[in-house]
Amino acid sequence: MGLVDYAQVNFPHLNLLEKVWWTWYAYWQNDIIATGLLAFWSHEFVYFGRCLPWIIADSLPSIFLKYKIQDQKQPSAAVQWECTKFIVLIHFAIEMPLIVGFHPISTFFGMRVDLPFPSIWLMLQQIVTFFILEDAYHYWLHRFLHWGPMYQHVHKIHHQYSAPFGLAAEYASPWETLLLGLGTIGAPMLVGAVTGHLHLLTVILWVTLRQFQAIDAHSGYDFPWSLRNIMPFWGGADWHDDHHKYFIGNYSSSFRYWDIMMDTVAGPEARAKRLARKQAKTAPKVNST
């Protein structure tokens, strides 16, 4: 009897996805290998799968150029291919070893891979928490990366493209990849350590959504149906595009509120408002009496 048939017969209480999950871990007989392969290849599938629509959009300017934020800067196929080769190198040389080591570290902080899966409501609560925690971490780290020496030696490579495109979302130096990855994985580990409730499925769903966010923010396109038009506090491509265009400001990853609170919104309009506030504070008061 094969593993799939065994799961069908012996675990009737499990749903189809849970049976596939059990079969995967039973096949490998090693949780570190099973988790590492599952996490890495799901990352690759999601990353390049989500980039594909933006590659198609860039190849069809007659249809999509009107939605392009910086419509004078269209990435060529050669530029995107060079970016892709670098991304693949970073994924295999830097991210894959980290993902393989993710299982023993995360289980130490309370993550589990067993069945049944957590409830949808619990996963939703945790993923929202991950977004909030990662966004705060990303904001302050990103500001630090724009400090002279850190920008020059760590972050500058990511700003090679002043008009970003989807594939460039993870175009970064090895050190930046490590530092930003810590925020993505650190949030679940913190929640797992504090609550004692964290499942690998929740982490994979979180990383998938985080990849969608990062790729869409770098896509260079802003549509009427883009999420930021539904959720005004969402960052979106227009928000991050200004960061690449002006090189400073808009440091948050997913939301806008950190930049608004800390007065680091990018662009000439925000700069003019800051200047007006500064001039208002320093202007001599006129005695009306």
Side-chain angles (χ1 to χ4, degrees):
M1 180 183 294
L3 289 173
V4 176
D5 295 329
Y6 183 89
Q8 292 282 8
V9 172
N10 291 277
F11 307 117
H13 60 287
L14 299 180
N15 62 43
L16 178 60
L17 182 57
E18 287 173 329
K19 290 173 182 175
V20 171
W21 187 277
W22 180 90
T23 302
W24 174 261
Y25 276 87
Y27 173 80
W28 287 105
Q29 292 294 304
N30 184 307
D31 286 357
I32 295 176
I33 294 175
T35 299
L37 290 172
L38 177 62
F40 179 74
W41 288 112
S42 65
H43 175 276
E44 297 305 288
F45 177 79
V46 169
Y47 188 85
F48 291 106
R50 185 55 188 149
C51 285
L52 185 58
W54 302 121
I55 296 172
I56 295 172
D58 285 330
S59 68
L60 297 172
S62 61
I63 300 174
F64 294 103
L65 188 62
K66 61 184 177 181
Y67 301 112
K68 187 77 172 172
I69 299 168
Q70 298 187 55
D71 57 5
Q72 301 301 314
K73 298 180 179 180
Q74 195 79 353
S76 67
V79 166
Q80 297 202 54
W81 175 238
E82 287 301 313
C83 179
T84 300
K85 290 189 290 185
F86 182 85
I87 291 292
V88 170
L89 176 62
I90 288 292
H91 282 186
F92 277 87
I94 305 298
E95 293 188 8
M96 185 169 67
L98 293 175
I99 290 173
V100 171
F102 165 75
H103 179 89
I105 297 173
S106 295
T107 51
F108 175 80
F109 285 100
M111 187 189 76
R112 65 182 184 86
V113 300
D114 58 354
L115 298 170
F117 290 147
S119 68
I120 294 176
W121 175 238
L122 176 60
M123 289 193 290
L124 179 62
Q125 291 179 77
Q126 290 186 333
I127 289 172
V128 170
T129 303
F130 300 160
F131 266 109
I132 294 171
L133 291 175
E134 191 281 333
D135 188 67
Y137 172 88
H138 189 104
Y139 174 83
W140 290 105
L141 174 65
H142 199 177
R143 283 193 70 172
F144 177 58
L145 291 176
H146 275 262
W147 172 60
M150 290 297 292
Y151 181 84
Q152 186 65 33
H153 299 293
V154 177
H155 190 49
K156 185 177 180 179
I157 185 174
H158 184 66
H159 278 272
Q160 179 174 325
Y161 305 110
S162 59
F165 50 93
L167 281 165
E170 292 187 2
Y171 188 86
S173 68
W175 280 112
E176 181 171 351
T177 301
L178 290 168
L179 291 170
L180 293 179
L182 179 60
T184 301
I185 298 304
M189 288 196 292
L190 177 62
V191 169
V194 171
T195 66
H197 298 287
L198 179 66
H199 197 280
L200 176 61
L201 178 63
T202 310
V203 177
I204 290 176
L205 291 175
W206 148 243
V207 172
T208 296
L209 292 174
R210 177 69 178 92
Q211 285 181 278
F212 268 60
Q213 180 278 323
I215 294 165
D216 290 358
H218 287 83
S219 69
Y221 289 91
D222 187 39
F223 297 100
W225 56 85
S226 293
L227 189 57
R228 67 104 176 175
N229 293 313
I230 303 171
M231 300 166 53
F233 56 87
W234 186 254
D238 68 315
W239 186 257
H240 196 67
D241 214 274
D242 277 351
H243 174 76
H244 278 261
K245 184 177 181 180
Y246 300 110
F247 289 93
I248 58 172
N250 293 10
Y251 298 112
S252 298
S253 56
S254 299
F255 307 116
R256 300 181 181 230
Y257 55 80
W258 273 107
D259 284 289
I260 294 171
M261 289 190 302
M262 303 309 298
D263 199 18
T264 54
V265 177
E269 183 179 343
R271 186 165 59 249
K273 290 179 179 178
R274 281 193 291 270
L275 180 60
R277 287 195 298 269
K278 183 178 180 180
Q279 290 174 340
K281 287 181 180 179
T282 57
K285 294 182 179 180
V286 178
N287 191 339
S288 59
T289 60

